[in-house]
Amino acid sequence: MTGMSAETTTPAPAPSDFIRDIVAGHVAEQRYAKIVTRFPPEPNGYLHIGHAKSICLNFGIAREHAGQCNLRFDDTNPVKEDVEYVESITRDVQWLIAGWADHCLGFKPRGAHPAKVTSNGQPDYYLAPVAPGAGSEAFFASDYFDQLYDYAVELIRRGKAYVCDLSPEDTEKYRGSPDTPGKDSPFRNRSVAENLDLFTRMKAGEFPDGARSLRSKIDMASPNMWLRDPLLYRIRHVAHHHAGDKWCIYPLYDYAHCLSDYLEGITHSICTLEFVDHRPLYDWVLESLGLPRALPHQYEFAKLNLAYTLVSKRKLLTLVTEKVVTGWDDPRMPTLSGLRRRGIPASALRAFVTGVGVTKFDSLTEAAVFENAVRGELNTTAARRLAVLRPLKLVLTNIAAGETVECRATNNPQDENPTTRPLALTREVFIETDDFAEVPPPKYFRLKPGGEVRLKYACIIKCDELVKDASGALIEIRCTAQLDTRHGQPNADKKVKGTIHWVSATQCIDAEVRLYDRLFTVAEPAAEENFLKVVNPKSLEVVTAKLEASLATAKADDRYQFERLGYFALDKDSAPDSRLIFNRTITLKDTWAK
Ligand code: ATP
Ligand code: MG
């Protein structure tokens, strides 16, 4: 195969979609001093491949307009959240944007909030790349609890919010249904003074969980259920992982989100389609407060759904707690931590989610689209090596024990100027068990009794004799190496139909190799009543493989193609010099296509 030169590959065109079109329109009319987006995960689990789409969209837009994207933890529900998740999310976002959009990552301003204000009224935050592992410099919705409280007081003063004593069950009953209008709460017309008093006492911890709530006063008959006086605050006597034990009332998502966007000077608040119905509430909260600066606006796109994959933190948590996988970063998990550990480069993930595009319609992306993006990337970057997963020993009888026949192997034929490395052909070599058949089926071009095959980068060998033990089990295959068919030798051009990979039996190293298959047996596990029932029992196979000796120095970030077997990367459980563990990132071909 001839290498593709760098000059002939055209750079990927800048992505284009309906959200980018909207942003481009705003840039053209100079509506904002700076485009500011945010990626707002709730720290209640690890990020997954679906989040990669949102990250690449938000950071991508910031990047294309010399803007800024904030990583903000939407941490308004302390019950399900944890610092472990804050840390993993920070790590995963930094990994995904490293070298691509880390210069757009918004830095949390120190001290008072907001920071400086630009001429058109947007707050101006600092931009600086965050060094991996430097700790979190992210934004937290919980950092705004004081301001959010003050805004709630302002809503009460404006007659737009009230303290309601209905129980959660009654609140639900009063809400009505999409076809029947709701009923006004009997507490809806409390005086401003009474509401202020009760809300202050809610904050002071006078009432138990669920006893009262703060609600917006909008329209109990609205066809949009989200406008039927939605809750703004509820009582929860629990400590918060970031805000500590200062609060016993917590704002609800819809209330906190739009105001967090406003406080950070977000211009485009991009979320997924399930929030379309929340948009009027987003606007209502901001418009009701008479805020002085430009308001953010919400735009929605379709979630990424990938075949054979779950994209829900809650469901992925079940896989962890039920011990279907070894943890959130199990290489079979569609989490960013799992994909990274499996060896998938961040650039491949970005290419995949960008290629899928941004639309307004939910759809299911085929697994092959993802796999091809990964193969496409690794094909150009991964160094080729020889490894044998299920070894079968050959003896090359015309090479003496201890003798070494030097061969050379190409490191990456895709490079513009491919380099080579030495490879030792010795008397004993391992080939793949599958590459030999004592009773070959028709058209079998690999090794068979009396047959010839080429050992890649070495020479053609001929199978002379099978040595069996008393029980008839094959113990050795004796072959002759046709050394004059090596590269540069007189018979180098001799053709045979099969070429197989191999390693020297005396100069190889052992490694544990983990071979992964899809985690689910059905394309839409999320549609199953119980997705635990469609877990693929054969999603992991572990073998002890023989690797060419040069792999002894493999490093965590190295990517390899083990020729004919797929792409591999070192697992984090490896101990250099003592225990090598490789993960198969992906096979060379789509083995599910048949
Ligand atoms: P999950 O159900 O997995 O918890 P979520 O939407 O509740 O997902 P958040 O932490 O709220 O998770 O997500 C952060 C951002 O990522 C949100 O803006 C959300 O819309 C987006 N996001 C979540 N899942 C996907 C997905 N499958 N495709 C694209 N964007 C997604
Ligand atoms: Mg969520």
Side-chain angles (χ1 to χ4, degrees), residues 38-55 57-58 72 74 89 253 257 269-275 301-306 310-316 353 362:
R38 87 283 172 267
F39 172 66
E42 185 181 357
N44 62 349
Y46 280 54
L47 296 182
H48 51 66
I49 193 164
H51 293 113
K53 179 169 177 176
S54 179
I55 295 169
L57 178 59
N58 282 296
R72 182 203 312 144
D74 235 324
I89 289 171
Y253 172 89
H257 197 90
S269 180
I270 302 166
C271 61
T272 39
L273 287 177
E274 70 270 26
F275 289 100
F301 71 100
K303 278 196 167 181
L304 173 77
N305 288 300
L306 184 60
L310 289 176
V311 280
S312 150
K313 288 191 226 110
R314 187 174 51 80
K315 289 181 176 148
L316 294 174
V353 295
D362 283 315

Side-chain angles (χ1 to χ4, degrees), residues 172-252:
E172 195 50 39
K173 269 190 219 140
Y174 274 66
R175 253 181 116 211
S177 70
D179 314 315
T180 49
K183 259 195 325 188
D184 282 1
S185 158
F187 307 98
R188 200 171 196 258
N189 293 314
R190 275 180 164 150
S191 68
V192 168
E194 191 183 0
N195 281 322
L196 287 174
D197 172 59
L198 287 171
F199 190 49
T200 311
R201 289 164 59 194
M202 275 171 66
K203 183 191 180 203
E206 278 188 37
F207 313 119
D209 286 7
R212 291 196 155 93
S213 61
L214 184 73
R215 298 179 67 178
S216 52
K217 197 190 260 192
I218 311 181
D219 179 6
M220 289 304 292
S222 171
N224 182 343
M225 297 287 285
W226 293 103
L227 294 182
R228 294 187 184 176
D229 291 8
L231 265 61
L232 304 177
Y233 271 88
R234 63 184 164 201
I235 303 174
R236 282 268 186 287
H237 287 269
V238 290
H240 188 282
H241 59 93
H242 187 72
D245 54 9
K246 180 173 175 191
W247 296 89
C248 64
I249 56 170
Y250 289 99
L252 274 95

Side-chain angles (χ1 to χ4, degrees), residues 289-337:
L289 283 163
L291 296 164
R293 299 198 312 260
L295 300 183
H297 291 282
Q298 178 185 302
Y299 307 90
E300 310 87 8
F301 71 100
K303 278 196 167 181
L304 173 77
N305 288 300
L306 184 60
Y308 299 95
T309 304
L310 289 176
V311 280
S312 150
K313 288 191 226 110
R314 187 174 51 80
K315 289 181 176 148
L316 294 174
L317 174 63
T318 306
L319 294 176
V320 174
T321 52
E322 294 297 314
K323 299 200 163 28
V324 171
V325 293
T326 55
W328 283 100
D329 71 345
D330 186 304
R332 291 167 292 181
M333 288 283 269
T335 52
L336 300 191
S337 313

Side-chain angles (χ1 to χ4, degrees), residues 1-79:
M1 204 192 301
T2 53
M4 211 179 356
S5 79
E7 291 92 304
T8 58
T9 50
T10 36
S16 146
D17 53 65
F18 74 97
I19 292 184
R20 285 182 162 91
D21 289 348
I22 293 169
V23 176
H26 294 160
V27 169
E29 67 186 40
Q30 300 183 309
R31 184 182 292 203
Y32 304 104
K34 178 161 81 174
I35 298 298
V36 187
T37 58
R38 87 283 172 267
F39 172 66
E42 185 181 357
N44 62 349
Y46 280 54
L47 296 182
H48 51 66
I49 193 164
H51 293 113
K53 179 169 177 176
S54 179
I55 295 169
C56 290
L57 178 59
N58 282 296
F59 279 92
I61 287 174
R63 187 176 172 269
E64 288 148 29
H65 296 288
Q68 169 179 336
C69 181
N70 294 352
L71 167 60
R72 182 203 312 144
F73 290 100
D74 235 324
D75 55 350
T76 54
N77 182 7
V79 183

Side-chain angles (χ1 to χ4, degrees), residues 28 31 40 49 61 75 83 178 180 190 200 243 281 286 290 305 336 374 404 424 435 441 446 474 551 561 582 594:
R31 184 182 292 203
I49 193 164
I61 287 174
D75 55 350
V83 267
T180 49
R190 275 180 164 150
T200 311
L281 176 56
L286 295 175
N305 288 300
L336 300 191
V374 176
T404 296
D435 283 338
R446 292 167 280 165
L474 187 60
L551 284 163
Q561 183 192 103
F582 278 91
K594 25 180 179 27

